[in-house]
Structures are given as C-alpha cells and as structure tokens.
Amino acid sequence: MVDRDRPKPKHTHQYFRNTNQSALADGTPHAVKQRVEYNLIAALLRNLLRTTFIAIIPTVLVAGAMTGVWLSTGVRPVTEAAKDMRSAQSNWFAVLQQAHPVIDELGIHGAPVGEVEKVYFAFIDATKEERPHQADVLLQVLQDQAETLRATSEGAPRVFELLLPVTQARFEVTRTYERWLEAMRPPASRAAVILGLAPSPRESDARYAQGATRDI
C-alpha cells in the first residue's frame, strides 16, 4: 500500500528536468543529426585533401621535368661556349710560349732582346691567375718592338709575319669570349648560370672583350 501522504523528495521536479535535458543533449534527433553532419563534412574534407594531394604529385613531377628540359636548353650552349673559350685561351698561351723566333728576329735587327726576354720569362713563370695579364704585356712589348722596327729596318715584314700567328691566337680568344657572353643572354641560359648549372666567365676574363692590344 502506497503512502500517499509521504512527503516527496525535495527538488524532484528539478531532477526530472535535468535528466530530460541530458537526454535531449545526448540522444535527441537534433543532436544525432548534428553529429552525422559533422562526420560527413570531416569525411568530405579528408577525401578532398587526399584527392588534391594525389593530383599535385604528378603536376609537380611534370613541372619539374619541364623545368629541367628548359634549363638544359640553356646549359649546353653556355657550357660549349665556355669550353671553346678556355681551349682558345690555352692555345693562345701555347703559341705565345713558342714566340722565340719573333724575339730572335727582333734581336737580328737590333731590338733590345734582353729587355724583351725579361717580359717573356715573366710570362713563363707567371701563376695561373697572373698569366692572362702577363701574356697581354708580352704581346704589347712584341708589337711595340715590331712597330719600332718598321721605321728603322727592312726586316720588319719578317717580324710581322712571325708575329701574325700570335696575334691571331689572341683574337680567337676574344671571339670565343664574346660568343660565351652571347650564349648567356637567353633566359634559360641566365637561369642555368645563376643556379650554377653552367659556367660564367671569371672577372679576369673581361680583358678579352677588348681584343688584342693592336691589329697588325
């Protein structure tokens, strides 16, 4: 038998209200719908990111391959031009080193061979860095002596004949140096040089832009 007169616990109505609110928060159709929508959006974002990443990989590979091909069109002409210039420079030094006949011919016609030989051996003994400068100094001295001989001796034509291969070798260095600079002008070549994929002239090479000291 239920005791109808037994007092009810305090705050009973508040208890049921709190319980109902908790139920609504955890399991009502509205809350369930929110969770479903959240999961759906998260899944869509994951799929989108995955698809985007997969699509980017071939795009990056293709772009990298195209960039490599573009750079290669600039590397080859610059590299070949640099090789030609260094070869011409080596030949110029070799020809100048074999300039004994010019010096001997100058001596036959009264030129101060001792002074010329000092300049010659300064070139022979020069370091790799000093050699371009010393080579031009020696050529200048030989040309000056040949010009002096032109006014004082009938032997000048023979001196000029012997000196011609030397000046031609020097002009060839200038020609190949200018070709090297020309090869560096296209955008792909400039990019290759900046990235260190193709060689650029040294500061001392700028002397070759002036040509030989005198055309004889």
Side-chain angles (χ1 to χ4, degrees), residues 57-213:
I57 292 177
T59 302
V60 171
L61 292 176
V62 171
M66 293 179 64
T67 301
V69 171
W70 179 71
L71 285 173
S72 68
T73 63
V75 171
R76 183 174 180 179
V78 174
T79 301
E80 289 181 350
K83 182 179 179 180
D84 290 344
M85 185 270 178
R86 292 304 174 203
S87 177
Q89 185 184 47
S90 296
N91 181 66
W92 148 239
F93 292 157
V95 171
L96 191 58
Q97 191 168 349
Q98 301 301 320
H100 304 287
V102 180
I103 298 174
D104 292 341
E105 189 68 24
L106 286 172
I108 291 173
H109 298 286
V113 174
E115 296 300 318
V116 176
E117 286 184 338
K118 287 181 181 179
V119 180
Y120 173 79
F121 286 112
F123 159 71
I124 295 297
D125 297 335
T127 64
K128 183 178 179 180
E129 291 74 21
E130 295 172 342
R131 179 156 287 198
H133 170 70
Q134 293 297 333
D136 278 351
V137 170
L138 176 56
L139 178 59
Q140 180 70 67
V141 169
L142 294 176
Q143 289 179 323
D144 288 345
Q145 292 300 322
E147 288 294 340
T148 300
L149 190 62
R150 191 198 296 270
T152 60
S153 174
E154 296 180 355
R158 176 58 179 166
V159 173
F160 289 137
E161 180 182 350
L162 294 173
L163 191 55
L164 183 60
V166 179
T167 56
Q168 287 179 335
R170 177 59 172 76
F171 278 123
E172 182 64 14
V173 182
T174 292
R175 187 188 71 81
T176 53
Y177 174 74
E178 291 175 347
R179 179 172 172 267
W180 188 358
L181 296 181
E182 185 69 24
M184 292 170 56
R185 289 180 181 176
S189 298
R190 291 200 302 270
V193 171
I194 291 172
L195 294 174
L197 301 176
S200 60
R202 293 190 289 263
E203 185 176 350
S204 61
D205 294 331
R207 69 174 53 254
Y208 297 125
Q210 304 302 319
T213 52

